[in-house]
Structures are given as structure tokens and as C-alpha cells.
Amino acid sequence: MYDIETYYQAVSIEDAVRALNEDERAIVISGGSDVLIQCREGRLAGCSLVSIHGIEELMGISETPDGEVIIRAATVFSHITKSPIIQRTMPMLGYAVDQVGGPQIRNIGTIGGNVCNGVTSADSASSLWALNATLELVSREGTRRVLIREFYTGAGKTVRKHDEILTAIHIAKKDYIDFGGCYIKYGKRDAMEIATLGCAAMVKLTPDKTAVEELRLAYGVAAPTPMRCVNTEAMAQGAPIHAELFERIAASAAGEVKPRTSWRASKEFRLQLVSELGKRAVKQAIINAGGKTDV
Amino acid sequence: MGVRDSIKRVDAYDKVTGAAKYTADLLPTGALIAKVVRSTIANGRVKSFDLNEALAVKGVVRIFTCFDVPDIEFATAGHPYVLDIAKGDVYDRKLLNERVRVFGDDIAAVVAVDDVAAARAARLVKVDYEEFAPILSVEDALKPEATPLHPNLRETNLLVHSSYSVGTGTYEEAKTSEPDLIEFEGEYSTQTVQHCHLEPVQSFAYMEGNRITVVSSTQIPHIARRVVGQALGIPWALVRIIKPYIGGGFGNKQDVLYEPLNAYLTQQLGGKLVKLEITREETMACTRVRHAIRAKVKALARPDGTLIARKIEAYSDQGGYASHGHSICANCITMFKQLYHDHRVTEGDGYTVYTNHATAGAMRGYGIPQSDFFTECLIEDLAEKLGMDSMALRLKNCLPIGYVDPGTGIHAYTNGLRDCVAKGRERFHWDEKRAQYAHETGDIRRGVGFAMFDYKTGVYPISLEVSNCRMFMNEDGSVNLHMGATEIGQGADTVFTQMTAETVGLTEPNVHIVSTQDTDVSPFDLGAYGSRQTYVSGQAVKRAGEILKEKVLDYAGYKLKKPAAELDVEKDWVVRKSSRDRLLSLADLALEAQYSRDRAERLFAEASIDCHENTLASGCTFAEVEVDIPLGKVKILNILNVHDSGILINPKLAEGQVQGGMSMGIGYALFEELLYDEKGRPLNDNLLDYKLPTALDQPDLHSAFVELCDPSGPYGNKALGEPPAISPAPAIRNAVLHATGVHFNTLPLSPQKLVEGFTQAGLIKEVRPNV
Amino acid sequence: MYKTLTMTVNGSEVSIPVDERESLADSLRNRLGLTSVKKGCEVGECGACTVLVDGEAIDSCIYLSLWAEGRRVMTVEGLKSPTGELSPIQQAFIDEAATQCGFCTPGIIMSAVEIVGTGKRYTREELRRLISGHLCRCTGYESILNAMVRIVEETCDRNAKE
């Protein structure tokens, strides 16, 4: 049995917000794959849970007439990957969440939980950063939207207030249309793994496809929070596709990241991965955008 | 039918339907739950406990501490009892330990009404320690100023040092024994890995009258019975161990891990049913691990590749308690001298050293995976220095036909090693690939590597080897088979069924093996380890089968009024020996024998075997890899094991054993290692951070066999269970060497290690970030 | 706190009292005697506790029982036909010697039910990925994949004929 002190199953978003307001100790549980494990480890023993599991209004993926894609936060990873909307508009994200854990985890883990636990290693994170996602949060005070790059404040920390529920993730059409994307997850094994490094690259090519019109390069586990290599992106803007471009991107990205040495991986090793994966992800993104990289 | 047939596993039906019950599945309702309280230091002493908060947790029944338990030291190793105690295992721990020697040592136990209460209380137990600096390496443990961890048993942390010298003179003398000798020196080491059997360590215990029953996931029920008796200081006959289906063991459960503590708890609680909950994390960090061994090796060879002398000095990290102790290291240095023949001399020194790491015990291969890494890396690197093909160097010097181990007297009656090499070489296209990949360039490079080994079967003459078997015939002519030998997933129940069918003359559906061992009724056997059961316990099956068949033929002769010598048993029928004509069904014979008013006789047989035999199995691994140099990733493109394990009792199950062993060897080579922090606390004692390979990390696993009928095996068979785990790791290391030219001398070949090695070798340009 | 949980298990509706802190694995094992659901790690890493909830494979050790309210749960005990015949998946595991110690077996069989239920003809490599949420220490996954390939082929061939 889990050492749970109180458990409340919310019936709606509003109900969940109310329940969180009434209990300052309460923690949100969605798919459970993070919270229940922490509970078992003893870190959350004796916790108070407000469950948003199974709340209909938190599930599903839709597209507005403007082409804005809305992913409701409690949608499980496998449903995101299988979604025709995601496959058509941003297959990189569908691929990225298909790398989380294994098949069973992907049937219960939710993208909202993945984002709200604030860890730099979340597979969805670097892709959402590359897509300039906006997060919709609902509290007693109403609804607010936060850009993903303003949502994370530190390792495991976000701006989400105690009584706020992440209800949806919005991605505007301009942030995915005409881009080729590639996410690479690097781990010591190929399944049931938390990334040693994650790299999400998106490239929009010039009309003649010989140069980079826009580059977005995001990393997970290269800093305490997911991050974008903004200097590298600026440097690559307008750059013709050439072997030395990839070297420059790699060196620049390595200069922007802040990896640390831990027992899992040394700083030098992570830098090597940042450099190599950056090259490979950008190359593949170019290919996915219809360009050629063997120039 | 019978041996050499790939019949389906006799337990497969129950396993695919969920009917097979493992320890936790058998727990009756109403059990109390116990949890071990573990030390939060690696080296020191418990001075006192403050149990007030813990006892106040609702649902707590009792808390036992290291100050409560009997002052009896016992040994946990799954070895036969040695009458001469001085020559046996080391008795160095109690039920709960006051002197703390590993991080997470068992210092107290909480018993509560449910798992939540037990866990809460365990967290609230306060401990006052006297703390010593943790000793986290063999080097540190051997320093003069190091705290001896078992001062009442050993003055220093050296548990055992053993050595051998085979041949003439010394290694040093060999150096100058002839001109032009080439010497190679190397240092290689292997890491700590854990068994990761899918079913964690589990047990529950209760009493009936004055007898204690422990139901446990163990490989060694009879040995567990003895150790529980010893640990509690009660007659062994008052202990009963029941071993149901178990979810793997691989040697971890060849130790008496928590049965004694579980028995103690029920005893202290008036016989109440107590389940001792051991989590996966506790199983990984606080039960047993494989010995991490570091070896310095030297070799002297003539320019033509003749080995003149070799020397090994191996240091084995025992961890905090003795468990199987020096046996592993002794085994390790022994294989070094067997696999290759040195013209002049082979020297070996093995040191097993106590540290504050997790206690090391038995794990599949028992020191030989480590030994093979040292032996086969040495040969490969020596070949490079000699400018000689490493396969040719091996074949020139390896295990000769008719080999007898001078130390143990073990004969290699059959020796299929060269046949295995030849078979694999062809199937794998070794020579072509070796040439094809000789000059790889670029970021992605391929290579092929090889390693071979030999392995003994069971533990004679080092240890006692005994087994007992009982059979009786039911009224319908079928036979019930009782073994003390255990099914741990390897297929023992199935092969014993086949052996019985073979020897008595039955069809397998008419052999009913009782899978569960209950030490009150099961015949005595030492249990599943050392690749012994098919060879040693198989002898008991064969003998009992012969006795039963004799009785059947005797009764049949009486019934049919024919001499028994003219009769035989075949496929559940008594037949005329010459023509094979069916004369009398076993069903008719057995019913009559059981109930006849003239001659009523229960047809049963028991056999007791004291085995004084052993022999060597052998084999090899061929591996083809693709190395992604910038990312430090090794992909296995093709891997083949070829085994000389005598006649295969069940070829399909044998293949399964080989596949499993290969997967373990691959994990050992590339993925697995248990890491510690500076306090001696395991960092990755869970199945996420300890990288057990998933289906995406394993390649297709190919196997082949060379079947030579071994005269010492009951059905021509010899060791199979452990050998497959021995040679994959050095073969993979040698393949990476072939692909990249870089020598990696420590396991595992993890990505960071590879990237560091490639950077040092100039294959990766170090990243210089533009800041 | 005890709540009544009503769900369909292996085709039958059940209503049982559960402690709201129980995992589905615990409820299935301890309250319904469905001991095929194994606990190998209790953190959703090994897959031994895998069951189907509304046809999707999940790790029941990290799934709260109350979440199964109104849902269809399936374990290995529910695979035999009403007259006791093994399902083709179970038979494939027997025929391919895909079980050794058997502890990972029920969980993998349940994933196989979901996989085969899609009706897709997966390649061996794709099947590797689909069972990558299951750890096995005995088989190296080789015989398990042989069984999976076999059952996928058989099912697709059978569907094609119908």
C-alpha cells in the first residue's frame, strides 16, 4: 500500500483547484508515475493527494481553425504519439514523448505531469521549448498563460502556484509550420531510461532549401532547466548549409550549455554529447525539412 | 521422449496461466509484516537505539534490535556443511549486526500489522552510531592503518590468500630461461554487478508446535534449513523450508539471506505468521553482488607464440561479510591456468579482501566471468604485441586433449573446445570479417572479437557433492518424482522428468515431478548451483530409475512367469526385450502390485549419490560490433556462443540457457555496474539507474553446440547453466579493440568510458566550446 | 479509508472494498486472488505487474486501484477460453519455450494481448520496442520474441483469411 494520508479524486478542474486551496499540503497526482514512486521511496510518505486522473476536460488534443494545437495536460504520452493532429503538425513532439520510459509508462504518464515536475530531463521538455509552447494554468484567480521558457525556474522548480492546475499546452501554427524537427534522446540504454542528454532541433529552410532560415536548438539535461541555445540560433540564421556550419553549431552550443559532473555523467562527456547530438539533430532536421546535408 | 528430446517444459502451462505460485503468492491472510532497519553508515558500531517514536506508530507490534538476537555467528554461504569447521565457510555475522560493515547492514527489524506501519516505524528508529571511515577499496582495506572489519576472525582485512604454482621454477626464473622471450604485462578489472532476478528476495515464516517453517524464494532449501538451525541455535530438525516456484536466483539465492531472521521473528512472536518484506532496492544493495576483481597479469612467450609462463595476481572485493568468500577468487585464478598451457610455469595468487561494499557472493559463473576477462584480454593483447593473429595464438596453447587439472585431479574426459572454435569460426565467417574490418576508419567502425573458456561441473573435489532422489509408481503406472534439486527457471524439473522417462521406460506425461521442495519430505540435495544438478542430481535420478525399473521387471517377471532378464520397459509398457512386443501395461502391473492379495508391493525407489567425479565443459563467443565513436555506443551486430556441454538433455531448453547467459554477459560487458558514493552508499540500487538491458538493448542471440558424450555424466552431459555467461564480455571487448584499436581494460565498456578512451586515443577531438 | 471499487475483471463485474492507498496490483492479488500479477520492483520499471485496463497495458504497481472504477481489467487468468483452452498467445509461449523462471511471463503475455489486438503485422525489431517495458533476466528476450513473431504472424494470417 502507498503511504498516502488523504486522497481526494477531483471531478473537474474547478473542483481540483478548490481542493488544492483547502489543503496547503496537497499535491497533484495525474498519471502517478512520478508521485507514487516518490511516495514509495519515502520522500512523499504521508502525503495528501488531489487526483486529476480521469478528468475528461483535461484530456485530448484539438486544433483551432487558426492551426493552433492544444494538448490538454492530462493526455497520456501514447495518445499524443498516435494523434493524427500531432503526426501532421509536429511529429517531433510525438516522437519525443514516444521515448519516455516504455510502452506501459506511455499509457499512463501525462505530458502535464512531465512538464510540471520541472525536471530538465523530461523528454517532452526540450521539444516543447523548441516549439515555443505556451502553458495554460488555472487557479482560484482565473486562467493565465506562461511561455514555457518562463515556466521553469530551477532544477525541479516551476512558477506553478500551489493551487494551479496546468490544463493545456498551446503551440501556435507559426511555431511548427514549415519546420523540420528532430529529437534525439541519449541514454545508456534504449528503453526505460531517463535521458543523459536530450536534443531537439527544428529548422526552417529558405525557399531554395540551401540555407537555414531559422534554427531552434533546445537541450534537456544540459543545464538545471531545459534550455534553448539562443546565441547558436542567432548565429545560424541565414547560414548556408555546409559541413562547417554543423561544426560551428556544435562549438557554439557547447559554449552555451551548463552541464555539470555527477555520478551519472561527467561534464566533459555531456559536452561531447551536446556537440555531437547537436550536429546530428540539426542535420536530420534539415533533411526532414526537405534539405540536403551532404554538401 | 527421453533425453535429447526438446519436449516442452513441464511447468510452462502453469507459468503462462498464472497458476504457478511463487512465495508471495502463497502468503495466507493475516500475516504480520516485518521490515529490516538498515544502517545509514557503512562502517561502525551501533551504540544505542531510541525506539520511542517508532514504537508509537499505530500498528507496530514489536521491534527487535541487534542487542536482542542470539549471540551466534553463522555463515550464509550455500555450501555443503563441512564437518571440520576450520575448513568450512567463515561464520562472521549474526541475525542482526551491532558491528556495522556495509551501508544498509541489518541492525534491527520492525514487525507491524501492515507494510505502511512497518515502513513508517522503520524510518522513525533512531540510531546512535560510533562511525569509522568507510573502507571502499581493496587497496584501502589492505593498508596497515585500515580498521580490521572482523578482528575476532582476521587480524587484517585479508580474508584469504591462496596461491598455486604449476610447472617448473618460478615466473621470474622463466624470464631468463631462454633467449628472445617477449613479455606482456597488463592490469584488468571487472565491476560489481547484481543478479537482478525478477522475483525479489521473499519469505514468510510461521510455527507449528515447536517447529519453524519458512517459505522462501531460495535455490538451496536444505542448506537454508541447516543455516536457520545454526543461526537460531536450535536443532536443524526443528526447521522446515518450503521452496515453491522461484523467479530466478542466478546465485543470489544460493545464500541463506533472510530465512534466519524471518524464522527468528516468528519464533519470538509465538509462532505468528510473519512476512519479511525485502524490496527491490534492498535486494540490489543489501543481499549479494558479484565479486569485483582486479588482476595483474603477465605472460612470457616465444616469438612464434608458444606460451612459456604466465602469472596472475587477483584481488577480490569481498564486501562486508564472507558469504562465499574466497571460493570465487580461487576459482578465478584456477581457470587462468587451465585454459592455456604454459611450457614452463603458471603462477597464481588470489587475495579476497573485506571492504565496506555490499557483500559479494555466488553469481552465475562464480569467478570465471572475471577470470575469462583477464585471461582472454591478456591473450588478445599479447597477440598484438607478438604481431600474431590472436586466434592462432589461442589455438596453439589452449586446453590440451586429455587435460588433468593438477590441483584438483579433474579430468577433461571430453574436450570439444577446438570443435567449438572451428564450428563457430565457420558459421560466423570469422576470418572474412577479421580481414574485412582490419582497417576501419571514420566515426562508425566495425570489428569482431573472440573469447573462449573452460568450466567445471559441480564442485567436487573442492566440496561435497551429493544428491538423493525418490520415485514411486502410482496405480496407473505413472511415476511421482521427488527431488531435493531445485527448479529455478533453468528447466531442472523438465530434464529430471526426461531422465526418469528415459531410464525407467516411461513417456513424459506419465512422470509427475513435484516441483516444490519441502525439506520435511523432499530428498536431500544441496540445491541449484555450480551447474551441478543435471550432472550430480541427474546421477541420483538415473540410479533411482534403474532401481525402480528393476523392481518393475521383477514384479512383471513374477506376473508373466518369465525371467526378468528377458523383459524391458518401453513407453509405459513391459515389453519383450528382444522383439519389443508389448506384454503388460505398467498401469495393469502397478494396480495389481499395489492391491494384490498374494504379493502386494509398493513399487518405489530411492537413491543416494555421493559423487566423486567432475569434468570440464568449454565453449566460446564470437562477437561482431559497430562502434559509434563520438557517442561511445557499442551496438552488437551479431553474437554467437558455441558450447561443449556434452549431450544435451533438452536441446531447446539448452538453447534458452545459452541465450540467457549471453544476455547476462552482454549486460556485464556494456551496461551493468553497481556504483557507490564516498560514504559507501549504493547510488543506483534500483532497476532504473542500474542498467539491466531491455529488449531494445539486446541483439539476436545465436547459439550452437558440439555434443560429445561425456563418460562421467549420467547421460553424457556436463556443465551448461553457467558457461554461457562467461565469454561474451571479453569477446565484446576484443571486438571493440579490433574495431577501434583502443584497449579497454575495465568493465563495463560504458559510454563515458569509451568516449574518454577514444578522446585519449585521438579518435575524438576534445570539445572546445566557444564561450 | 475504504471505498467500494466496481470494475470488470476478466469479463466479470466485481465490487470489492479497497483501501484507497492500494495499488491495482495489490487489489488484484490480495482481494481477487489474481496472483499472476507479479511485483518485481514496485516502481513501474520491470513490467512484471502489467495488466490491461480498457485494453491498454499499464504497470499495475503504480496505478491506484480507484482509477480502475468502471473500467475493464484483464489479467492472464482471463485468457483461457470458457472451456479451458489456452489462448494462442499462451500456446505460443509454451511452444517457443519463452518462459524460464516464469516471473516476467504473465506481464509480457498481457502486453502481447494488446500488441496482437492491434491487428498489425509488426517486424521483430518493432516487437523489441513494444516489449521494451518488460525486463527479463532469464531468456535474453530471444525466445520471447520468437513467440511474439509467431503469434503476430498467426493472428495476421488468420485475420487475413476472415
Side-chain angles (χ1 to χ4, degrees):
Chain A
M1 263 193 311
Y2 285 101
D3 192 346
I4 297 167
E5 196 58 41
T6 65
Y7 175 86
Y8 178 74
Q9 176 64 55
V11 300
S12 67
I13 297 172
E14 198 189 312
D15 188 35
V17 168
R18 181 200 54 74
L20 287 169
N21 267 298
E22 280 173 14
D23 184 353
E24 61 185 13
R25 284 185 59 224
I27 296 167
V28 177
I29 181 170
S30 176
S33 53
D34 282 325
V35 169
L36 290 177
I37 289 168
Q38 290 188 54
C39 182
R40 189 178 157 278
E41 280 172 0
R43 276 191 279 160
L44 288 179
C47 56
S48 265
L49 296 181
V50 170
S51 169
I52 57 171
H53 183 98
I55 295 180
E56 290 289 333
E57 42 181 344
L58 284 171
M59 301 194 288
I61 298 167
S62 58
E63 192 181 357
T64 68
D66 298 331
E68 182 188 65
V69 172
I70 305 171
I71 305 171
R72 303 235 151 264
T75 310
V76 300
F77 298 120
S78 61
H79 293 183
I80 295 173
T81 306
K82 286 184 201 146
S83 152
I85 295 174
I86 297 293
Q87 284 176 8
R88 178 175 37 84
T89 58
M90 54 192 81
M92 178 184 76
L93 179 65
Y95 175 85
V97 300
D98 198 36
Q99 307 311 304
V100 175
Q104 295 94 304
I105 296 287
R106 297 194 279 270
N107 279 339
I108 52 154
T110 66
I111 193 165
N114 209 218
V115 170
C116 287
N117 68 18
V119 296
T120 183
S121 55
D123 287 304
S124 60
S126 42
S127 295
L128 290 173
W129 277 64
L131 287 162
N132 286 339
T134 305
L135 308 178
E136 187 181 319
L137 298 150
V138 171
S139 72
R140 190 171 39 187
E141 266 123 57
T143 306
R144 66 169 173 146
R145 300 241 182 144
V146 178
L147 291 169
I148 194 154
R149 61 171 89 192
E150 282 156 24
F151 185 69
Y152 291 77
T153 58
K157 297 195 180 67
T158 69
V159 299
R160 186 182 67 87
K161 298 211 239 338
H162 169 74
D163 76 329
E164 274 185 311
I165 302 278
L166 172 66
T167 53
I169 299 169
H170 296 255
I171 297 148
K173 185 171 183 176
K174 65 171 173 58
D175 285 309
Y176 65 76
I177 199 78
D178 296 330
F179 277 94
C182 175
Y183 173 69
I184 302 180
K185 173 178 187 170
Y186 183 95
K188 290 173 200 162
R189 63 182 183 189
D190 286 347
M192 300 312 291
E193 183 71 314
I194 291 188
T196 306
L197 197 86
C199 177
M202 290 175 62
V203 172
K204 187 187 289 193
L205 297 172
T206 53
D208 67 353
K209 302 210 187 293
T210 63
V212 171
E213 191 174 295
E214 188 182 340
L215 167 69
R216 298 194 192 160
L217 185 60
Y219 285 98
V221 209
T225 72
M227 60 174 284
R228 292 265 296 268
C229 292
V230 294
N231 298 342
T232 308
E233 292 173 2
M235 180 270 292
Q237 190 168 28
I241 300 171
H242 193 265
E244 59 100 24
L245 171 63
F246 304 121
E247 296 302 324
R248 281 199 294 137
I249 287 172
S252 174
E256 287 194 72
V257 296
K258 294 171 186 36
R260 58 186 193 97
T261 291
S262 75
W263 63 268
R264 290 198 169 85
S266 71
K267 180 175 158 179
E268 293 73 23
F269 177 50
R270 294 182 204 266
L271 282 174
Q272 167 62 16
L273 295 177
V274 164
S275 164
E276 186 64 26
L277 293 179
K279 275 188 250 182
R280 296 191 192 189
V282 170
K283 279 188 193 173
Q284 190 59 47
I286 289 172
I287 291 169
N288 292 350
K292 289 207 200 343
T293 57
D294 50 350
V295 287
Chain B
M1 216 110 310
V3 303
R4 309 194 76 167
D5 193 7
S6 288
I7 68 160
K8 305 212 203 302
R9 287 183 69 108
V10 300
D11 53 9
Y13 185 94
D14 285 347
K15 286 174 176 174
V16 302
T17 56
K21 301 276 186 223
Y22 301 74
T23 297
D25 305 332
L26 294 167
L27 183 69
T29 49
L32 295 173
I33 306 294
K35 280 212 66 70
V36 177
V37 178
R38 299 187 173 284
S39 70
T40 50
I41 60 168
N43 191 10
R45 176 180 303 284
V46 174
K47 293 205 301 210
S48 66
F49 291 94
D50 179 353
L51 301 176
N52 289 324
E53 276 186 54
L55 286 168
V57 169
K58 182 156 166 252
V60 166
V61 170
R62 281 271 289 270
I63 301 181
F64 300 89
T65 76
C66 52
F67 301 117
D68 299 322
V69 299
D71 183 19
I72 299 173
E73 308 251 13
F74 59 95
T76 61
H79 288 149
Y81 183 65
V82 176
L83 293 166
D84 182 352
I85 297 246
K87 296 204 175 119
D89 292 310
V90 176
Y91 289 49
D92 69 350
R93 62 154 298 138
K94 301 186 194 178
L95 288 167
L96 294 169
N97 293 311
E98 175 193 336
R99 175 70 173 85
V100 169
R101 299 175 183 95
V102 295
F103 195 101
D105 208 337
D106 316 320
I107 57 175
V110 171
V111 184
V113 298
D114 64 34
D115 52 349
V116 171
R120 279 189 181 179
R123 275 196 297 272
L124 290 172
V125 169
K126 295 197 179 21
V127 190
D128 189 18
Y129 297 102
E130 181 187 357
E131 201 172 340
F132 310 136
I135 300 170
L136 298 176
S137 71
V138 164
E139 292 72 36
D140 284 345
L142 290 176
K143 287 188 178 138
E145 64 269 22
T147 328
L149 292 174
H150 293 268
N152 52 326
L153 295 170
R154 299 284 187 276
E155 278 177 25
T156 66
N157 288 316
L158 177 65
L159 176 58
V160 177
H161 165 223
S162 72
S163 62
Y164 63 74
S165 176
V166 174
T168 25
T170 66
Y171 180 89
E172 284 307 306
E173 286 164 4
K175 271 163 95 160
T176 48
S177 62
E178 38 180 286
D180 305 325
L181 288 178
I182 294 163
E183 188 179 32
F184 180 85
E185 268 187 66
E187 196 168 316
Y188 306 94
S189 75
T190 64
Q191 78 285 36
T192 304
V193 293
Q194 216 277 336
H195 315 66
C196 297
H197 36 77
L198 256 288
E199 182 204 15
V201 169
Q202 295 276 281
S203 64
F204 61 87
Y206 57 88
M207 288 183 73
E208 287 171 317
N210 66 340
R211 299 182 79 240
I212 303 175
T213 299
V214 185
V215 180
S216 172
S217 181
T218 175
Q219 297 170 223
I220 49 169
H222 279 97
I223 295 178
R225 166 181 173 272
R226 184 237 323 154
V227 175
V228 169
Q230 289 178 301
L232 268 57
I234 62 177
W236 308 350
L238 295 184
V239 180
R240 175 185 182 208
I241 305 288
I242 296 176
K243 175 256 166 222
Y245 282 111
I246 74 168
F250 308 109
N252 196 26
K253 298 171 184 174
Q254 189 204 338
D255 233 60
V256 185
L257 296 169
Y258 283 103
E259 295 87 347
L261 181 61
N262 207 163
Y264 172 75
L265 295 174
T266 186
Q267 180 201 58
Q268 294 302 304
L269 291 167
K272 290 211 181 88
L273 173 64
V274 180
K275 173 162 198 259
L276 184 52
E277 291 260 315
I278 302 289
T279 64
R280 171 62 60 184
E281 292 78 2
E282 289 175 280
T283 297
M284 292 198 65
C286 309
T287 57
R288 302 291 177 268
V289 296
R290 190 192 285 287
H291 289 77
I293 303 182
R294 170 177 300 275
K296 296 182 192 156
V297 287
K298 301 187 198 193
L300 284 167
R302 292 185 189 139
D304 73 350
T306 307
L307 285 178
I308 296 302
R310 283 176 308 136
K311 182 178 159 69
I312 181 168
E313 205 177 294
Y315 294 86
S316 176
D317 185 340
Q318 180 53 51
Y321 294 96
S323 174
H324 285 249
H326 187 65
S327 304
I328 281 82
C329 192
N331 220 20
C332 169
I333 60 175
T334 296
M335 203 278 275
F336 182 80
K337 70 166 155 68
Q338 289 175 343
L339 188 58
Y340 295 103
H341 171 71
D342 294 300
H343 245 63
R344 284 192 63 89
V345 65
T346 319
E347 283 179 6
D349 279 274
Y351 300 85
T352 295
V353 181
Y354 279 125
T355 69
N356 292 124
H357 281 145
T359 300
M363 184 169 170
R364 194 175 192 174
Y366 214 76
I368 306 309
Q370 297 94 316
S371 182
D372 208 48
F373 188 68
F374 311 144
T375 307
E376 287 296 78
C377 287
L378 171 62
I379 282 286
E380 193 77 23
D381 295 350
L382 173 66
E384 193 181 84
K385 188 160 184 181
L386 291 172
M388 183 174 174
D389 173 60
S390 57
M391 182 70 83
L393 178 62
R394 288 186 170 91
L395 290 172
K396 194 179 172 75
N397 296 284
C398 66
L399 192 70
I401 305 291
Y403 176 78
V404 178
D405 182 317
T408 56
I410 296 177
H411 288 250
Y413 295 110
T414 50
N415 182 345
L417 179 58
R418 284 167 188 73
D419 302 308
C420 290
V421 176
K423 190 169 198 169
R425 194 170 181 168
E426 203 213 300
R427 200 173 282 208
F428 200 75
H429 305 292
W430 168 261
D431 296 278
E432 298 95 302
K433 292 201 168 139
R434 195 79 175 166
Q436 186 187 342
Y437 299 141
H439 306 290
E440 293 281 280
T441 58
D443 281 351
I444 316 288
R445 302 190 191 185
R446 296 186 173 189
V448 288
F450 176 82
M452 63 195 339
F453 71 90
D454 75 272
Y455 195 74
K456 65 185 191 303
T457 309
V459 199
Y460 180 83
I462 296 151
S463 277
L464 180 72
E465 275 296 1
V466 293
S467 179
N468 292 271
C469 170
R470 179 189 311 124
M471 301 177 179
F472 61 84
M473 191 165 275
N474 294 304
E475 299 89 329
D476 63 0
S478 67
V479 166
N480 274 27
L481 174 60
H482 294 181
M483 296 295 286
T486 54
E487 167 66 62
I488 65 169
Q490 84 286 56
D493 283 356
T494 305
V495 301
F496 294 143
T497 298
Q498 289 177 253
M499 290 174 176
T500 303
E502 174 83 30
T503 299
V504 179
L506 304 159
T507 60
E508 276 83 3
N510 277 323
V511 179
H512 310 301
I513 185 166
V514 176
S515 185
T516 297
Q517 275 65 43
D518 174 340
T519 57
D520 271 2
V521 281
S522 300
F524 184 85
D525 186 285
L526 297 161
Y529 60 80
S531 304
R532 61 178 291 283
Q533 291 189 163
T534 312
Y535 185 79
V536 179
S537 313
Q539 289 180 32
V541 176
K542 187 172 190 187
R543 188 76 203 105
E546 287 164 348
I547 295 169
L548 183 63
K549 184 174 170 179
E550 259 176 60
K551 291 188 179 184
V552 164
L553 291 179
D554 184 65
Y555 201 94
Y558 151 77
K559 259 231 60 165
L560 296 168
K561 300 187 180 32
K562 289 185 192 317
E566 285 177 19
L567 304 171
D568 202 354
V569 185
E570 184 180 302
K571 293 198 184 142
D572 311 319
W573 281 79
V574 175
V575 301
R576 200 187 310 272
K577 199 176 209 161
S578 49
S579 64
R580 313 315 289 175
D581 291 338
R582 288 180 165 181
L583 300 176
L584 175 66
S585 73
L586 289 180
D588 286 342
L589 181 147
L591 184 64
E592 170 141 357
Q594 182 126 327
Y595 292 106
S596 164
R597 298 308 301 274
D598 299 313
R599 179 177 154 178
E601 189 179 318
R602 176 71 155 169
L603 296 165
F604 82 99
E606 286 198 21
S608 186
I609 296 294
D610 177 10
C611 176
H612 287 238
E613 263 300 0
N614 202 330
T615 190
L616 298 179
S618 64
C620 56
T621 303
F622 295 81
E624 182 182 356
V625 303
E626 183 176 271
V627 184
D628 184 330
I629 291 176
L631 294 182
K633 285 291 197 113
V634 175
K635 183 170 164 192
I636 300 175
L637 298 176
N638 194 0
I639 186 163
L640 169 69
N641 261 31
V642 190
H643 284 276
D644 153 36
S645 291
I647 300 298
L648 303 177
I649 309 298
N650 185 318
K652 186 87 177 156
L653 297 198
E655 199 178 63
Q657 279 294 283
V658 176
Q659 290 158 359
M662 288 170 79
S663 78
M664 226 173 225
I666 290 168
Y668 197 48
L670 298 174
F671 295 95
E672 300 176 40
E673 67 184 321
L674 189 66
L675 298 164
Y676 299 87
D677 69 11
E678 71 288 348
K679 287 194 164 64
R681 182 192 179 131
L683 287 163
N684 58 338
D685 54 348
N686 61 74
L687 289 176
L688 167 61
D689 287 315
Y690 181 92
K691 305 295 174 189
L692 204 65
T694 67
L696 277 177
D697 303 297
Q698 295 281 4
D700 272 322
L701 304 165
H702 301 286
S703 58
F705 297 90
V706 165
E707 288 186 78
L708 303 174
C709 185
D710 196 284
S712 67
Y715 299 91
N717 55 301
K718 52 187 182 177
L720 174 60
E722 291 168 282
I726 293 170
S727 47
I732 291 167
R733 178 269 187 190
N734 290 339
V736 171
L737 171 60
H738 187 235
T740 64
V742 181
H743 299 259
F744 290 99
N745 298 341
T746 70
L747 289 178
L749 271 49
S750 60
Q752 178 170 320
K753 186 183 290 181
L754 290 177
V755 164
E756 286 166 357
F758 294 142
T759 305
Q760 216 170 18
L763 294 177
I764 294 178
K765 233 175 27 189
E766 208 169 335
V767 172
R768 293 193 198 294
N770 299 351
V771 182
Chain C
M1 268 284 285
Y2 276 84
K3 297 237 160 82
T4 304
L5 169 63
T6 302
M7 54 181 173
T8 303
V9 178
N10 294 333
S12 304
E13 190 176 276
V14 298
S15 246
I16 50 169
V18 300
D19 189 308
E20 64 191 357
R21 301 172 292 175
E22 274 172 39
S23 65
L24 185 60
D26 280 335
S27 301
L28 293 172
R29 285 177 54 79
N30 302 335
R31 300 196 187 275
L32 293 170
L34 298 168
T35 56
S36 74
V37 180
K38 304 298 184 203
K39 298 207 287 192
C41 69
E42 295 196 85
V43 289
E45 270 305 311
C46 73
C49 65
T50 301
V51 302
L52 296 188
V53 174
D54 286 345
E56 289 182 335
I58 56 106
D59 297 309
S60 62
C61 69
I62 49 171
Y63 188 96
L64 292 176
S65 293
L66 294 178
W67 294 344
E69 177 70 31
R71 299 196 187 278
R72 286 174 299 114
V73 175
M74 186 177 279
T75 71
V76 140
E77 287 92 341
L79 293 185
K80 280 202 273 197
S81 78
T83 43
E85 276 114 36
L86 291 178
S87 74
I89 294 176
Q90 290 168 304
Q91 191 60 52
F93 269 68
I94 293 178
D95 294 342
E96 293 296 331
T99 161
Q100 291 188 29
C101 83
F103 204 75
C104 74
T105 302
I108 298 190
I109 288 179
M110 293 325 294
S111 281
V113 173
E114 181 184 5
I115 292 164
V116 162
T118 63
K120 290 193 201 149
R121 197 179 286 269
Y122 293 107
T123 65
R124 192 182 181 89
E125 268 316 294
E126 287 167 335
L127 287 169
R128 273 191 191 283
R129 183 153 211 277
L130 291 168
I131 62 163
S132 61
H134 291 276
L135 295 176
C136 174
R137 196 49 153 165
C138 292
T139 67
Y141 309 101
E142 192 68 19
S143 55
I144 293 172
L145 284 165
N146 293 343
M148 301 289 301
V149 164
R150 179 168 168 158
I151 189 60
V152 161
E153 298 279 314
E154 277 176 18
T155 306
C156 288
D157 289 344
R158 196 172 39 240
N159 290 348
K161 285 202 187 106
E162 281 157 14

